[in-house]
Amino acid sequence: MSDLDEEYQLEYFHDEGFVRKECPSCGSHFWTRDEDRQLCGEPPCADYEFIDAPGFDEEYSLEEMREAFLSFFEEHGHERIDPYPVAANRWRDDVLLTQASIYDFQPLVTSGKTPPPANPLTVSQPCIRMQDIDNVGKTGRHTMAFEMMAHHAFNAREDLEDPGQYAYEGEVYWKDETVEYCDTLLEELGADIEDVTYIEDPWVGGGNAGPAIEVIYRGLELATLVFMCMEQDPDGEYELKDGNTYSYMDTYIVDTGYGLERWTWMSQGTPTVYEAVYPEMISFLKDNAGLEYTDDEEALVNRAARLSGQLDIDDVDDVEAARDNIADKLDVSTSRLRELVEPLEDIYAIADHCRTLAYMFGDGIVPSNVGTGYLARMVLRRTKRLCDTAGVDAPLDELVDMQADRLGYENRDTVRDIVRTEVEKYRETLERGGRQVERLASDYAAKGEPIPLEEVLELYDSHGIQPDMVEDIAADHGADVEIPDDFYSLVAARHGGEEAFEEEEGAETDDDRIADLPDTEKLYYEDPERTDFEAVVLDVIEREVDGETRYDVALDQTMFYPEGGGQPADTGTLATDEVTVEVTDVQEVDGVVLHRTDESPGKGEFVRGQIDATRRKRLMQHHTATHIVGYAAREVLGEHVRQAGAQKGTESSRFDIRHYERISREEVKRIERVANDLVTDNVAVKQEWPDRHEAEEEHGFDLYQGGIPPGQNLRLIRVAEDVQACAGTHVTRTGDIGTIKILSTERVQDGVERLTFAAGDAAIEATQRTEDALYEAADTFDVSPQEVPDTATRFFSEWKERGKQIEDLKEQLAEVRAQGGGDDATEVDLDDATAVVQRVDADMDELRATANALADEGKVAVIGSGLDGATFVVAVPDGVDLNAGSVVGELAAKVGGGGGGPPDFAQGGGPDVEALDDALDEAPDVLRQLREA
């Protein structure tokens, strides 16, 4: 027995009479009170045994089961805390969605850098696991959206030399108590604990690991008890199932997960978890889709539900083969089984996906092409396709709203608006994408090859084309395509369904020297309006930058703000009695502020620092204005608006927000009014340093609009009702900004709108530049500034009309040429057709018109031009066996270029205008040779 196996030798197991066994079906080791038990009890080794025979004494709703769990752990010394949002990237920069309750406490609490909000604690945390999307509806137990009820305890080894290095000390409780809690809860709810098995299954994830126990009761996994006590270590002595080696940590954490939906299902014994979790919605969807069963069919469906755990794509290689096996056990054909259960599977998935969308949009996720926005869009489009397939004709926004109402969200109007907007975008995308699928299917059918999976994934990414739609179109065009059972999991993995971002590389550092320096005292927080100070040079690091020598100067204290949070660094000078050096950049590395200079002031010297005061003032105005513009945007556009990026400047700043529609001109004016009202109110801009947990509890995770700062205490900037964690420099009162002017808006990517604005003197200068342009236009038109819009509209209309007249004249000229030829036109007899070879020195529009006019007359047109290089256009009428692309290719080669196109129309050319006439002279021979070929 290895040391890791020893981790499962719990005193509680031995004291309670458990025996350790090995499942002959799957090979897992498990603990049971039943000495005669052979199988571990988890599908596919066993079936669901509680359907129509609930495993608890009483039937619970979701709300009742949640309260029963939380109350139980409160009674056992745990503090109840509020759940976090489903968008984990609101407080973490390494993941997108909340997939487990432990995500609430990573990485700061689990690493021991900050204390937990309570220890021990209990929570019921809404989660979304995109990797389960392909199992939803099929297995009877998988939901993509779910609540993970949990209790956690954070422990640190008691034999540490420096116990104060972590934010918590000693042991609260560990494995024995954790298993006992689970056993006791099950028994209090009326479970037959003789039927409970505890399966050994070591857990790994995010660089951590530890022994874990899956709690199985009557065929259903109800909980996982993870004992996080190891960390990845190349020199570690324990190699675990991910192939990496691990060693023990100083901290060790009880990380449990109890599935609220599954506990509720166990109490009710319904055919699937979906009837227990979404009873009203399942009934509504079945009625809406006209889904009805006879008593015999209902009985068969219920029997199939008991076996549906065997359809888990994580446990079987071929889902359809597993379905064949279920059909055999039920003594029914697979086709008949599919006919009965697949419409239900779609209904179940629709209900689950609508709940997922309600969580996402209710928590402020906005659909886009990246990150959480992409995942939300993926779920929405799959849900719409499922509705169409199942025959559900209720508007999708109403279905999502049913779940948002049930979950208690107050922003339901915004949620419905987002869904309606996305459904319309999806319709437009499908129209474009469907044609691309047809072309792709035809190409691969002609090659006799199946459409590759990568192409299908790209079609989904680019156009939202669902895989079953690709299958249908491919079949119509004689092409093969194979869609894997885990298609949507593959899509989610492509877009960070589990992880979000890689860590960015830090600034160039000399690690050892900087690590030995004390943190720089930051004077700019004490008095942001002060621009001079005195300090001691602690070190000077020489560097080569773009072939020149530069110096990074570390001081004991500084007024220079280092670049960060979208705010550029201060510039200025450092002066000794002997030398004055220019500070051109400032960066912070591990708490040390480094001042980039053109000369060395000398290590150990006493320096006087002077900041560029005008630059600092403008940066402060723009940074505070960014907070105000963000606040105003939320007031006007809705609470879903969150920062997607920001860059402060001295002349203007840009502020990117997540929003599902283009921002109208009227909305821009309203945002501007709200922002400037706050400026003229001249409210104080306050900074506070509260405890992290207290700040999050009071203000939520909207604190982290500009990123997630480390540390137990946060620096908060409060401007009226707007409160954000921020490390930047700010004015002391909003009136110091002067004014805010929004200069432009643009869509930088789908779901992200950019507001560019100016503040203070820069706003006045920007307004004056706009007025200068208006007055210049007025002078050009010889009208007043107020008349410019109408005059410009009139001029534009006249310009377009003249353009149309010119095009009409070109077409008329082309028709005249086609009918009367020209002095330089050559007619070539091609037996069944006549070709006209002609030089017309005109632009491409005129060349095309001439060629098309000749083709309309039934003639092959070969037109050359020397207007802009040597250019050819070839048009071939219907019924003539000649490839226009081949003709252009031959002629373009003679002028040093190339070209091509479809058989009926092509264009091309080259740079050698001198060879144009010779090429046209050879055109008749080229035409005859290609006809003979």
Side-chain angles (χ1 to χ4, degrees):
M1 182 179 295
S2 71
D3 287 342
L4 197 57
D5 286 339
E6 186 67 32
E7 289 280 357
Y8 295 101
Q9 298 295 319
L10 275 61
E11 288 185 17
Y12 182 77
F13 283 153
H14 294 294
D15 292 345
E16 290 292 313
F18 282 82
V19 291
R20 185 175 189 257
K21 296 202 169 193
E22 182 176 349
C23 179
S25 177
C26 66
S28 296
H29 287 95
F30 65 96
W31 293 82
T32 175
R33 287 183 170 93
D34 183 359
E35 293 187 3
D36 296 328
R37 175 182 281 277
Q38 297 299 315
L39 298 175
C40 66
E42 183 177 26
C45 302
D47 301 328
Y48 300 144
E49 299 172 3
F50 61 93
I51 293 176
D52 295 327
F56 297 150
D57 285 345
E58 296 180 20
E59 180 178 300
Y60 290 79
S61 67
L62 276 179
E63 293 75 16
E64 291 167 342
M65 182 59 75
R66 181 193 303 116
E67 184 56 37
F69 177 90
L70 294 173
S71 296
F72 172 85
F73 280 98
E74 277 188 315
E75 291 166 3
H76 288 82
H78 294 69
E79 183 174 328
R80 184 189 305 205
I81 69 165
D82 292 333
Y84 287 33
V86 296
N89 62 345
R90 299 267 293 279
W91 70 92
R92 297 178 59 173
D93 57 11
D94 58 336
V95 294
L96 295 175
L97 296 171
T98 308
Q99 297 190 56
S101 58
I102 196 65
Y103 277 41
D104 299 354
F105 314 110
Q106 290 174 318
L108 295 176
V109 177
T110 54
S111 66
K113 292 182 179 178
T114 61
N119 196 13
L121 60 82
T122 185
V123 65
S124 189
Q125 174 60 49
C127 300
I128 295 174
R129 285 189 179 171
M130 300 298 299
Q131 60 266 42
D132 287 336
I133 187 171
D134 295 291
N135 272 326
V136 173
K138 291 184 172 64
T139 65
R141 71 177 185 271
H142 279 94
T143 58
M144 184 165 47
F146 63 97
E147 279 189 49
M148 180 178 284
M149 303 184 298
H151 62 99
H152 296 281
F154 302 89
N155 308 296
R157 281 175 34 212
E158 295 181 350
D159 59 350
L160 297 176
E161 291 184 7
D162 179 17
Q165 64 185 293
Y166 298 111
Y168 38 86
E169 297 181 24
E171 181 174 296
V172 181
Y173 61 82
W174 193 224
K175 292 179 291 186
D176 287 281
E177 296 89 335
T178 301
V179 175
E180 184 176 1
Y181 280 138
C182 185
D183 236 18
T184 304
L185 176 61
L186 283 165
E187 194 167 24
E188 286 192 9
L189 291 175
D192 181 356
I193 58 175
E194 292 289 328
D195 283 352
V196 178
T197 58
Y198 291 91
I199 300 176
E200 299 175 6
D201 184 23
W203 171 86
V204 296
N208 291 117
I213 295 172
E214 295 178 353
V215 183
I216 312 298
Y217 180 47
R218 295 188 177 176
L220 184 63
E221 181 184 346
L222 289 178
T224 302
L225 314 177
V226 175
F227 304 102
M228 188 191 302
C229 58
M230 310 177 84
E231 60 188 349
Q232 196 169 318
D233 179 0
D235 300 322
E237 58 181 303
Y238 304 100
E239 182 174 341
L240 300 185
K241 58 187 178 182
D242 64 346
N244 294 311
T245 55
Y246 290 80
S247 58
Y248 284 96
M249 304 186 297
D250 290 342
T251 59
Y252 52 106
I253 296 157
V254 173
D255 171 20
T256 67
Y258 291 65
L260 170 62
E261 291 74 15
R262 295 188 183 185
W263 284 70
T264 303
W265 182 25
M266 178 62 69
S267 79
Q268 296 183 21
T270 53
T272 72
V273 70
Y274 314 108
E275 285 93 357
V277 177
Y278 319 115
E280 299 87 359
M281 191 166 194
I282 295 298
S283 177
F284 172 83
L285 291 170
K286 288 169 68 174
D287 289 344
N288 186 274
L291 195 59
E292 297 179 355
Y293 294 103
T294 65
D295 291 343
D296 289 343
E297 289 171 338
E298 192 80 45
L300 180 59
V301 168
N302 281 5
R303 287 167 58 207
R306 296 174 186 272
L307 306 174
S308 61
Q310 299 178 22
L311 299 176
D312 189 339
I313 61 172
D314 297 326
D315 295 329
V316 298
D317 295 328
D318 187 336
V319 170
E320 290 314 310
R323 201 186 292 276
D324 291 340
N325 184 50
I326 293 174
D328 288 341
K329 291 182 179 180
L330 297 174
D331 194 24
V332 66
S333 69
T334 302
S335 60
R336 177 59 174 159
L337 181 62
R338 289 170 64 107
E339 180 186 355
L340 289 174
V341 302
E342 285 191 343
L344 260 181
E345 290 174 354
D346 289 345
I347 293 295
Y348 295 151
I350 291 168
D352 170 80
H353 291 7
C354 286
R355 184 191 189 195
T356 302
L357 292 171
Y359 271 133
M360 286 179 155
F361 299 148
D363 275 353
I365 293 175
V366 174
S368 69
N369 288 331
V370 295
T372 54
Y374 179 89
L375 299 176
R377 175 166 288 167
M378 184 185 87
V379 176
L380 185 143
R381 291 180 172 182
R382 184 173 196 252
T383 309
K384 183 67 177 74
R385 181 68 172 173
L386 286 169
C387 287
D388 295 342
T389 302
V392 174
D393 61 3
L396 186 56
D397 62 294
E398 291 185 9
L399 299 180
V400 176
D401 183 61
M402 290 172 65
Q403 295 285 29
D405 181 27
R406 184 170 162 276
L407 294 171
Y409 283 112
E410 297 180 357
N411 58 339
R412 288 167 53 201
D413 288 344
T414 299
V415 171
R416 293 188 65 164
D417 204 14
I418 290 174
V419 176
R420 283 193 293 265
T421 301
E422 275 298 301
V423 168
E424 185 56 37
K425 288 180 181 178
Y426 184 35
R427 288 197 187 99
E428 295 170 358
T429 302
L430 282 181
E431 290 176 5
R432 297 191 300 269
R435 294 189 291 270
Q436 184 168 338
V437 180
E438 291 175 354
R439 289 194 297 271
L440 191 71
S442 297
D443 290 345
Y444 279 96
K447 292 188 287 188
E449 299 175 3
I451 300 175
L453 174 60
E454 191 60 32
E455 293 274 20
V456 184
L457 289 167
E458 188 58 37
L459 282 168
Y460 186 90
D461 263 0
S462 302
H463 299 284
I465 304 296
Q466 306 292 327
D468 58 339
M469 183 177 175
V470 177
E471 286 182 307
D472 294 342
I473 295 175
D476 291 342
H477 289 75
D480 294 326
V481 61
E482 186 171 337
I483 308 298
D485 295 325
D486 60 347
F487 176 82
Y488 288 97
S489 299
L490 295 174
V491 174
R494 262 184 158 205
H495 290 267
E498 297 184 22
E499 297 183 358
F501 315 103
E502 295 181 0
E503 291 185 6
E504 296 181 0
E505 294 184 5
E508 179 186 9
T509 66
D510 188 320
D511 292 336
D512 292 336
R513 289 175 66 175
I514 293 174
D516 290 337
L517 294 172
D519 288 354
T520 309
E521 184 180 352
K522 299 167 182 175
L523 303 175
Y524 47 81
Y525 286 149
E526 299 174 8
D527 185 1
E529 295 182 343
R530 180 180 163 193
T531 59
D532 63 305
F533 68 101
E534 297 176 340
V536 175
V537 179
L538 301 181
D539 201 356
V540 179
I541 301 172
E542 185 176 322
R543 301 191 187 283
E544 283 296 315
V545 180
D546 297 329
E548 297 184 359
T549 301
R550 292 292 182 265
Y551 303 88
D552 283 349
V553 180
L555 308 175
D556 65 333
Q557 59 182 9
T558 187
M559 283 297 302
F560 281 90
Y561 180 81
E563 181 182 11
Q567 179 173 330
D570 285 327
T571 59
T573 60
L574 295 174
T576 68
D577 291 338
E578 306 296 329
V579 64
T580 298
V581 301
E582 294 287 334
V583 177
T584 58
D585 188 25
V586 187
Q587 299 290 328
E588 182 177 357
V589 179
D590 296 333
V592 177
V593 178
L594 300 175
H595 307 71
R596 178 67 52 85
T597 64
D598 55 347
E599 295 182 61
S600 172
K603 182 177 179 179
E605 291 291 331
F606 183 81
V607 295
R608 295 177 298 279
Q610 178 64 52
I611 295 167
D612 182 331
T614 301
R615 176 183 172 84
R616 162 66 74 83
K617 179 182 178 182
R618 285 197 166 197
L619 287 172
M620 289 195 303
Q621 288 174 322
H622 279 93
H623 200 147
T624 309
T626 302
H627 288 225
I628 292 174
V629 169
Y631 165 79
R634 285 191 294 278
E635 288 291 298
V636 172
L637 303 175
E639 286 300 315
H640 65 281
V641 168
R642 288 185 175 81
Q643 180 175 322
Q647 183 61 52
K648 294 81 177 178
T650 55
E651 302 301 321
S652 66
S653 291
R654 65 172 188 263
F655 184 62
D656 297 344
I657 61 172
R658 302 194 185 281
H659 185 51
Y660 55 91
E661 290 181 314
R662 294 304 319 273
I663 301 176
S664 68
R665 175 60 188 159
E666 183 56 38
E667 287 170 331
V668 168
K669 291 193 289 186
R670 287 168 58 198
I671 292 170
E672 207 169 60
R673 283 197 294 270
V674 172
N676 281 292
D677 284 347
L678 193 50
V679 170
T680 55
D681 286 345
N682 197 28
V683 300
V685 179
K686 302 175 182 177
Q687 66 171 335
E688 306 165 2
W689 294 86
D691 175 84
R692 183 184 211 93
H693 296 306
E694 293 175 0
E696 290 174 350
E697 185 175 351
E698 181 178 357
H699 303 291
F701 296 99
D702 284 343
L703 285 173
Y704 305 132
Q705 294 283 332
I708 302 97
Q712 184 172 338
N713 291 88
L714 301 177
R715 179 178 185 252
L716 299 188
I717 296 298
R718 184 187 294 268
V719 185
E721 297 176 15
D722 183 76
V723 183
Q724 294 184 40
C726 180
T729 57
H730 292 270
V731 297
T732 55
R733 305 194 71 85
T734 58
D736 297 337
I737 295 173
T739 190
I740 297 172
K741 180 64 183 174
I742 297 177
L743 307 179
S744 65
T745 66
E746 63 176 312
R747 171 156 289 182
V748 293
Q749 67 183 52
D750 196 17
V752 178
E753 297 288 314
R754 173 167 293 169
L755 294 161
T756 301
F757 64 92
D761 292 344
I764 296 173
E765 292 168 4
T767 302
Q768 290 172 340
R769 287 194 297 272
T770 301
E771 289 179 342
D772 288 345
L774 177 63
Y775 277 95
E776 187 175 336
D779 289 343
T780 300
F781 288 133
D782 194 21
V783 297
S784 69
Q786 290 74 21
E787 295 174 298
V788 166
D790 289 340
T791 304
T793 300
R794 176 167 55 82
F795 270 77
F796 183 67
S797 298
E798 292 173 356
W799 174 78
K800 284 201 301 183
E801 187 60 35
R802 287 180 181 175
K804 290 179 182 177
Q805 292 174 358
I806 291 171
E807 291 301 316
D808 290 343
L809 291 172
K810 285 182 179 180
E811 291 181 6
Q812 294 172 25
L813 178 60
E815 290 173 2
V816 170
R817 287 200 186 102
Q819 294 169 2
D823 294 339
D824 54 353
T826 300
E827 291 197 356
V828 182
D829 185 6
L830 300 176
D831 295 334
D832 61 342
T834 298
V836 174
V837 179
Q838 186 177 12
R839 175 167 177 165
V840 179
D841 288 333
D843 60 26
M844 184 55 72
D845 288 340
E846 192 169 340
L847 296 183
R848 290 195 193 99
T850 301
N852 286 330
L854 286 165
D856 290 342
E857 294 289 322
K859 299 175 182 179
V860 175
V862 180
I863 310 297
S865 169
L867 185 64
D868 184 15
T871 307
F872 299 98
V873 172
V874 176
V876 178
D878 293 340
V880 177
D881 185 18
L882 186 66
N883 189 303
S886 299
V887 176
V888 165
E890 292 286 339
L891 296 177
K894 298 178 184 299
V895 294
D904 60 340
F905 189 91
Q907 63 189 52
D912 191 357
V913 179
E914 298 296 326
L916 174 62
D917 289 332
D918 291 340
L920 290 172
D921 289 343
E922 296 177 35
D925 292 336
V926 171
L927 293 170
R928 294 189 186 99
Q929 290 168 5
L930 290 173
R931 281 298 297 273
E932 293 171 2

